[in-house]
């Protein structure tokens, strides 16, 4: 563990954010060589916070040893600029909060009997913390890909499953688009915990599909040739624009809906039961933590669908896996979790954990 944690650490900030970090990462912090805290408030200098002395920023210029800074302040970008502008010549380095999550995860699971998690812990002892803490993830770090620019609409695009796929207008450079595309490929690697479909778990031919949280639309593009119809839900206006261009060749079988999904209705939010009246055969759902509630808003649709399957993300919130599993079971859907675990940051909210990423479920017509 000592190799993971640098020496001579100062934590910048003594407010609410710093108190939350002390609560969430108490165990990991107990192993850190924390010299003290730094604060811009002169009234605090010389006082103590969480048992450590509070220093002025000038402490970074004292001595010759390297100093490490963990920023625990809501104005993080301003603090970063202050450090670079005022102390850039000093031997100091900003470290990220991930180092605490990494240490805390190792401590949490160091005695686990779960083989999958043990493998992650061993990797974390020598590698940085990532969403996917597996060797296959290394294959994507330097992966390059051909990205094109469409002069007619001002968007970058690439080819996914031999089909043109556009990037959001938020991706203003080829490098940004390539980095995003690497994440897409990594996420859907055959060994990824976030893999929606497998060789055994597929979207049925001629299915009517819901793609909830489509973003760039890679899931729908991968199945578009074999299904009857896809309802694509995407609330982000820039991704929604890109989806229009991506699915222009398939507009006869694609319905684009620019709204959030949940179990209530208003001007910007809708539900599957409200939007879709025909039988649905497959739901893929990745909607930033609203999955459970969106499934509540799809119970009637699921009930009337005789042949139904789904791939639902469960990693955004700690409660999600159990809640979604119980809900799907009540809908007579048999579920299996994807293999492996992923880490998803809950910075300053709760201690870090490893989570199952996808629940895959099936319901068949009664015989």
């Amino acid at each position: 563990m000592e190799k993971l944690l640098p020496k001579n650490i100062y934590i910048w900030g003594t407010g609410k954010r710093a108190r939350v970090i002390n609560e969430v990462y108490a165990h990991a912090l107990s192993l850190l060589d924390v010299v003290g805290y730094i604060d811009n408030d002169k009234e605090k200098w010389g006082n103590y916070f969480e048992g450590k002395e509070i220093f002025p920023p000038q402490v970074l210029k004292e001595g010759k040893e390297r100093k490490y800074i963990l920023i625990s302040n809501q104005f993080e970008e301003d603090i970063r600029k202050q450090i670079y502008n005022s102390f850039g010549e000093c031997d100091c380095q900003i470290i990220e909060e991930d180092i605490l999550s990494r240490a805390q995860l190792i401590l949490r699971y160091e005695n686990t009997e779960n083989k999958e998690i043990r493998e992650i812990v061993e990797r974390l002892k020598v590698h940085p913390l990532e969403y996917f803490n597996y060797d296959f993830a290394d294959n994507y770090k330097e992966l390059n890909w051909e990205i094109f620019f469409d002069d007619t609409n001002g968007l970058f695009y690439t080819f996914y499953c031999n089909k043109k796929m556009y990037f959001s207008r938020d991706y203003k450079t080829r490098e940004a688009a390539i980095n995003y595309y690497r994440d897409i490929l990594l996420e859907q690697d055959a060994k990824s915990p976030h893999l929606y479909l497998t060789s055994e778990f597929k979207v049925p031919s001629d299915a009517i599909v819901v793609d909830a949280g489509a973003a760039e639309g890679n899931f729908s593009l991968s199945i578009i040739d074999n299904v009857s119809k896809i309802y694509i839900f995407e609330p982000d206006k820039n991704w929604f624009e890109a989806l229009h261009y991506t699915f222009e060749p398939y507009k006869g079988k694609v319905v684009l809906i620019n709204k959030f999904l949940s179990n209530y209705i208003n001007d910007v939010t809708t539900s599957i039961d409200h939007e879709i009246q025909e039988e649905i055969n497959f739901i893929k759902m990745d909607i930033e933590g609203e999955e459970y509630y969106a499934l509540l808003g799809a119970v009637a649709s699921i009930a009337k669908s005789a042949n139904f399957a789904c791939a639902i993300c469960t990693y955004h919130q700690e409660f999600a896996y159990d809640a979604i599993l119980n809900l799907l079971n009540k809908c007579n859907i048999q579920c299996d979790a994807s293999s492996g675990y992923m880490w998803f940051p809950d910075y300053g909210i709760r201690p870090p954990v490893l989570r199952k990423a996808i629940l895959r479920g099936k319901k068949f017509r009664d015989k």
Side-chain angles (χ1 to χ4, degrees):
M1 182 65 69
E2 292 182 0
K3 294 181 179 179
L4 294 178
L5 307 175
K7 305 291 185 181
N8 209 27
I9 297 173
Y10 289 83
I11 300 179
W12 192 308
T14 57
K16 181 179 179 181
R17 175 68 179 160
R19 292 191 186 279
V20 170
I21 283 179
N22 272 274
E23 293 175 5
V24 171
Y25 300 110
H27 199 171
L29 280 170
S30 70
L31 301 178
L32 286 175
D33 178 29
V34 178
V35 179
Y37 288 79
I38 296 175
D39 203 289
N40 283 320
D41 186 348
K42 296 179 181 180
E43 298 297 322
K44 294 184 177 181
W45 298 347
N47 294 322
Y48 285 78
F49 181 83
E50 301 290 341
K52 301 286 185 179
E53 185 174 353
I54 303 173
F55 296 93
Q58 288 297 116
V59 72
L60 297 178
K61 292 186 175 181
E62 298 176 2
K64 296 182 180 180
E65 70 280 0
R66 167 165 286 199
K67 301 174 181 66
Y68 293 89
I69 307 153
L70 176 65
I71 301 174
S72 62
N73 189 294
Q74 62 177 322
F75 303 107
E76 181 175 347
E77 288 305 313
D78 293 335
I79 299 300
R80 285 180 181 270
K81 290 178 182 178
Q82 181 180 348
I83 292 170
Y84 292 138
N85 293 336
S86 301
F87 306 101
E89 76 283 359
C90 301
D91 191 9
C92 59
Q93 177 182 334
I94 296 174
I95 57 176
E96 303 301 328
E97 194 172 314
D98 286 1
I99 196 170
L100 296 180
S101 295
R102 181 186 180 196
Q104 195 96 338
L105 283 170
I106 294 173
L107 291 167
R108 175 188 283 265
Y109 297 110
E110 60 183 346
N111 296 317
T112 183
E113 295 182 1
N114 184 310
K115 182 180 178 181
E116 287 182 322
I117 293 180
R118 279 206 312 272
E119 291 175 355
I120 293 174
V121 169
E122 291 306 310
R123 179 179 168 85
L124 286 177
K125 289 179 180 178
V126 293
H127 288 83
L129 177 63
E130 300 173 306
Y131 285 2
F132 306 107
N133 296 284
Y134 296 94
D135 291 344
F136 77 83
D138 296 336
N139 299 329
Y140 295 90
K141 286 182 169 52
E142 303 299 327
L143 181 67
N144 207 342
W145 201 262
E146 194 165 12
I147 302 293
F148 307 92
F149 186 76
D150 190 331
D151 291 318
T152 63
N153 56 37
L155 298 178
F156 287 101
Y157 69 92
T158 191
F159 286 90
Y160 185 82
C161 297
N162 297 315
K163 299 173 178 64
K164 189 179 287 189
M165 184 178 77
Y166 283 88
F167 294 91
S168 159
R169 199 169 293 280
D170 294 327
Y171 294 87
K172 302 182 185 302
T173 66
R174 280 187 171 81
E175 182 180 4
I178 289 172
N179 288 336
Y180 181 84
Y181 192 62
R182 285 193 192 113
D183 289 340
I184 293 173
L185 297 178
L186 167 61
E187 181 185 272
Q188 295 306 308
D189 184 276
K191 297 180 180 179
S192 170
H194 200 293
L195 183 65
Y196 296 125
L197 305 175
T198 70
S199 57
E200 294 80 28
F201 184 82
K202 302 177 181 179
V203 176
S205 298
D206 298 322
I208 296 174
V209 178
V210 171
D211 184 355
E216 72 295 321
N218 67 316
F219 175 79
S220 288
L221 269 186
S222 72
I223 63 172
I224 189 69
D225 292 331
N226 299 317
V227 300
S228 296
K229 191 174 187 179
I230 306 180
Y231 291 88
I232 296 180
F233 292 85
E234 176 51 55
D236 184 276
K237 62 181 180 62
N238 284 342
W239 275 128
F240 193 71
E241 176 196 21
L243 288 168
H244 271 285
Y245 292 111
T246 295
F247 289 98
E248 176 65 23
Y250 314 99
K251 57 185 178 181
K253 59 163 64 176
V254 172
V255 179
L256 295 171
I257 302 171
N258 187 207
K259 288 189 176 184
F260 293 94
L261 267 181
S262 192
N263 60 332
Y264 62 93
I265 313 297
N266 61 26
D267 290 343
V268 297
T269 306
T270 189
S271 72
I272 289 174
D273 287 344
H274 179 76
E275 294 290 336
I276 304 173
Q277 305 307 312
E278 58 189 320
E279 180 176 318
I280 299 167
N281 306 117
F282 195 97
I283 295 177
K284 165 258 173 182
M285 194 174 284
D286 186 351
I287 51 175
E288 307 301 324
E290 196 69 11
E291 289 88 359
Y292 173 73
Y293 305 101
L295 284 171
L296 285 177
V299 167
S301 296
I302 294 172
K304 70 182 181 183
S305 298
N307 296 305
F308 175 82
C310 59
I312 311 297
C313 286
T314 59
Y315 63 90
H316 293 108
Q317 299 192 61
E318 195 165 3
F319 81 93
Y321 181 87
D322 290 335
I324 291 171
L325 177 61
N326 290 336
L327 177 58
L328 291 175
N329 286 342
K330 288 179 181 178
C331 295
N332 298 316
I333 297 171
Q334 297 176 341
C335 297
D336 291 301
S338 56
S339 61
Y341 291 81
M342 66 178 288
W343 169 73
F344 189 73
D346 280 331
Y347 293 129
I349 299 175
R350 56 181 65 88
V353 296
L354 297 172
R355 299 175 183 167
K356 286 292 185 181
I358 304 285
L359 269 173
R360 305 188 188 108
K362 289 184 179 181
K363 181 181 75 170
F364 298 97
R365 185 188 303 274
D366 294 332
K367 294 183 180 178

